[in-house]
Amino acid sequence: MTTTGDDHTEARSGPWWWERRRGAVLDWSLALVSALECGAEGYPFAQDAGIPEAAGVVFGVAAGSTLLLRRKWPIAVVLVSIAIAPAQMGLLLTVVGLYTLAASELPRRIIAALAGMSLLGTLVVTFVRARQDMAHGDVELSVGDWFVPFISITASLGVTAPPLLLGLYVGARRRLMESLRERADSLERELQLLAERAEERAEWARNEERTRIAREMHDVVAHRVSLMVVHAAALQAVARKDPEKAVKNAALVGDMGRQALTELREMLGVLRTAGDGVRRREGSSVPLAAVGAAAAAAASRAVEEPGEGPCLSELDELIGQSAAAGMVVDLSVEGEVRAYPPEVEQTAYRVVQEALTNVHKHAAGAKTYVRLAHRASEIAMQVENEPPPEVGAESSARLPSGGNGLVGMRERVVGLGGVFVSGPTEAGGFRVSAVIPAS
């Protein structure tokens, strides 16, 4: 974790304007050394100026102590160093002040102006001091007049340039580190947002897979179990009156039960195989995405292999099973029969299957019309039933309803870009219509 912004503010541990205690200790130490230096240099300055020595010392100590303010007001520190330059005091104050000024966040033009003033002041003071020493005979040289300008320029550059360049480098490096820290914080926040969005998408995907698994299980089992219940009710009614028909109905119930068990074994087998594979790879529980894919694969029964997946060619068999259960079904097909993508045929088959199941549940004995239309770029289907023979009477089979059949059909059709409409008819029956794009 980086430490900027609020966290950076909370990390402050120093007094007043210092961020850290060690910074305060350093500034106090530098200010003490600078005060001692300027105080010592104030004594000869007072003698040369003809003022009391104590006043010169106090003036030097006060001027040197301003270094304590270098982090808060670097401009003031540099101005003080320029002001006391004629008194030949404040070398440490000048060096540290220029360094702090160059490393600060102030505009470059202000830094350049103050650095130029400090350079000019140091140059003039050094030049005057060198000329006075040569005039008083303190320095005996056998060189030409070029020496005084040379020593003045060299001394002024030596005092001004190194702290200025070092401060510029440290300031640039500090700004770079701050920029990298802020960028790291920004990336961290973005990663956190991405993680939250990924978690939301994962939760959405889990919910979608749960819905998908429930829909596939419903489509695979509900129709056959509904027919089994209808045949069982018919078997109970004719068991004594027509033993031959009872035997036939019992055989149908057995066949449908075996088919339902076979489909359940296929689905559970695929789920178990997928789950074992995922556990071997990850050592964790089965992701819902894998379960959903396995459920879909089991429900579709490998459509790619001929004859194993539900398709439109099996509609006759599907309608025959409903007819065997006592339903009068009229099938009509329009247009040229052709092959469609597996998911289109599966969805069309499931729509008809679920619609017939709903007729068994809610309108037992009603005549039903199944219409299939092959069009240029789509396939349309409609399942409509008339009112049951006894309106309002409950079916003797007492088939339960979960209320998810129409929802599942709509999800399937809309998922392929189609249109799904269902609702009661004016005659008292019910109609289910769907149009699915051919590709």
Side-chain angles (χ1 to χ4, degrees):
M1 286 286 292
T2 55
T3 310
T4 59
D6 296 338
D7 296 335
H8 187 63
T9 302
E10 294 176 358
R12 293 169 59 95
S13 59
W16 297 344
W17 57 81
W18 286 282
E19 294 183 356
R20 298 178 179 85
R21 293 184 180 276
R22 63 181 182 182
V25 172
L26 175 63
D27 287 356
W28 278 95
S29 301
L30 290 175
L32 178 61
V33 174
S34 177
L36 293 176
E37 177 201 355
C38 293
E41 293 172 343
Y43 186 83
F45 166 71
Q47 292 179 339
D48 294 340
I51 61 175
E53 288 82 357
V57 173
V58 172
F59 173 75
V61 170
S65 299
T66 58
L67 192 59
L68 189 66
L69 309 174
R70 70 184 187 96
R71 298 178 190 265
K72 187 71 172 177
W73 297 294
I75 295 179
V77 174
V78 175
L79 290 176
V80 171
S81 69
I82 295 173
I84 65 175
Q88 298 181 7
M89 63 175 65
L91 177 62
L92 181 62
L93 182 66
T94 301
V95 172
V96 178
L98 286 174
Y99 165 80
T100 306
L101 178 70
S104 67
E105 301 291 336
L106 293 172
R108 292 295 178 87
R109 63 179 182 276
I110 297 179
I111 297 176
L114 292 174
M117 293 171 59
S118 179
L119 175 65
L120 182 60
T122 306
L123 177 63
V124 172
V125 171
T126 306
F127 181 82
V128 172
R129 181 70 178 186
R131 290 298 296 264
Q132 290 177 350
D133 291 341
M134 291 184 66
H136 294 162
D138 295 338
V139 180
E140 296 181 359
L141 296 173
S142 59
V143 295
D145 295 338
W146 59 269
F147 179 75
V148 174
F150 172 77
I151 195 65
S152 302
I153 295 174
T154 303
S156 59
L157 287 177
V159 172
T160 307
L164 187 64
L165 295 177
L166 180 61
L168 291 174
Y169 167 75
V170 172
R173 184 176 180 275
R174 184 183 302 160
R175 286 187 291 271
L176 176 62
M177 295 300 296
E178 191 69 22
S179 174
L180 293 176
R181 188 179 293 113
E182 291 177 358
R183 185 177 299 179
D185 281 347
S186 177
L187 290 175
E188 186 177 359
R189 288 191 293 269
E190 290 180 4
L191 289 176
Q192 185 175 0
L193 289 176
L194 289 175
E196 292 176 357
R197 292 177 182 175
E199 185 176 354
E200 292 175 0
R201 287 194 295 267
E203 182 64 26
W204 176 83
R206 285 193 290 269
N207 293 334
E208 287 294 316
E209 292 303 329
R210 291 190 186 100
T211 303
R212 183 181 179 184
I213 293 170
R215 184 171 61 244
E216 297 294 344
M217 293 286 290
H218 180 275
D219 291 342
V220 167
V221 180
H223 180 72
R224 297 194 186 280
V225 173
S226 298
L227 290 179
M228 289 172 59
V229 174
V230 172
H231 281 293
L235 176 62
Q236 183 180 5
V238 301
R240 296 181 179 179
K241 299 179 182 179
D242 192 348
E244 184 177 351
K245 187 175 182 180
V247 171
K248 183 179 179 181
N249 286 341
L252 287 174
V253 171
D255 291 340
M256 292 178 184
R258 283 188 289 272
Q259 291 176 2
L261 287 175
T262 300
E263 291 179 341
L264 280 176
R265 289 193 189 100
E266 290 177 0
M267 177 174 290
L268 295 177
V270 174
L271 290 175
R272 189 177 295 111
T273 303
D276 293 341
V278 172
R279 288 191 184 95
R280 285 194 296 270
R281 290 193 304 269
E282 301 181 0
S284 60
S285 60
V286 184
L288 282 174
V291 176
S300 61
R301 294 171 301 182
V303 175
E304 292 79 2
E305 300 181 10
E308 292 191 5
C311 56
L312 294 176
S313 61
E314 300 178 10
L315 280 181
D316 291 335
E317 179 182 356
L318 178 67
I319 292 175
Q321 293 174 355
S322 296
M327 179 188 295
V328 179
V329 185
D330 180 23
L331 172 64
S332 63
V333 180
E334 301 176 3
E336 182 180 357
V337 179
R338 63 182 188 276
Y340 296 94
E343 61 272 13
V344 174
E345 296 212 8
Q346 288 180 36
T347 301
Y349 180 91
R350 295 298 188 192
V351 168
V352 176
Q353 182 186 55
E354 180 60 28
L356 293 177
T357 302
N358 287 340
V359 175
H360 283 293
K361 290 180 180 179
H362 307 294
K367 185 175 182 179
T368 305
Y369 302 91
V370 178
R371 300 181 180 89
L372 192 66
H374 300 273
R375 300 170 183 170
S377 59
E378 60 188 17
I379 179 173
M381 64 224 66
Q382 183 182 89
V383 179
E384 180 180 350
N385 63 274
E386 297 178 350
E390 296 180 5
V391 180
E394 296 183 358
S395 171
S396 59
R398 297 178 183 177
L399 291 170
S401 175
N404 296 318
L406 295 176
V407 176
M409 285 190 284
R410 182 183 300 276
E411 290 175 350
R412 283 182 175 275
V413 174
V414 174
L416 294 178
V419 178
F420 180 85
V421 179
S422 63
T425 63
E426 295 181 357
F430 199 84
R431 180 187 298 119
V432 172
S433 302
V435 179
I436 305 174
S439 59

